[in-house]
Amino acid sequence: MKRQTGLWGSLAVAILLSAAQGAAAQEKAFSLELNTARDVNNGCRLVYVAHNGTGIALDSTSYEVAVFDSDGGFSQLLILEFGKLPVGKTKVVQFDLPNQPCGKISRLLVNDVADCKSGGQPVDVCMGALKTSTRTKVGFDL
């Protein structure tokens, strides 16, 4: 019986450790949400909510984003600058796309990191820990 108890105890410990590691991995994310997309002045205003949950203070953060039209064809490349993001900081940033109605955008793709520095040095956490989501009809992914 002791062997079975030991086996169950070991299994329980393994499950708890796995859950803790999964939670830690979720905490180490750079979350980027496309929160709204609204037509304004002949263009589209995109509002993003960024959260730095990486555990690394970021001096500068920006992404190269590809825009795809309603037919799925490539339209243009943008650089979205989020600036300085301390650890745990959530920031709301808006970007206007002139002459581009929101209804004509099918998808936004994070193509690459344009800038990601911590302590004045480039770091790879901005793409490696990036998690995208959207609350709009516009697709937003990697």
Side-chain angles (χ1 to χ4, degrees), residues 8-9 22 24-25 28 44 56 81 83 86 89 102 104 114 121 123 126 139:
W8 287 112
K28 299 293 182 186
C44 184
I56 298 171
E81 296 183 15
K89 174 71 174 153
C102 296
K104 301 269 182 176
Q121 298 297 313
V123 291
C126 291

Side-chain angles (χ1 to χ4, degrees), residues 18-31 51-55 129-131:
S18 176
Q21 288 172 343
Q26 287 177 356
E27 292 172 10
K28 299 293 182 186
F30 186 96
S31 303
H51 177 75
N52 181 4
T54 65
L130 182 62
K131 304 291 180 210

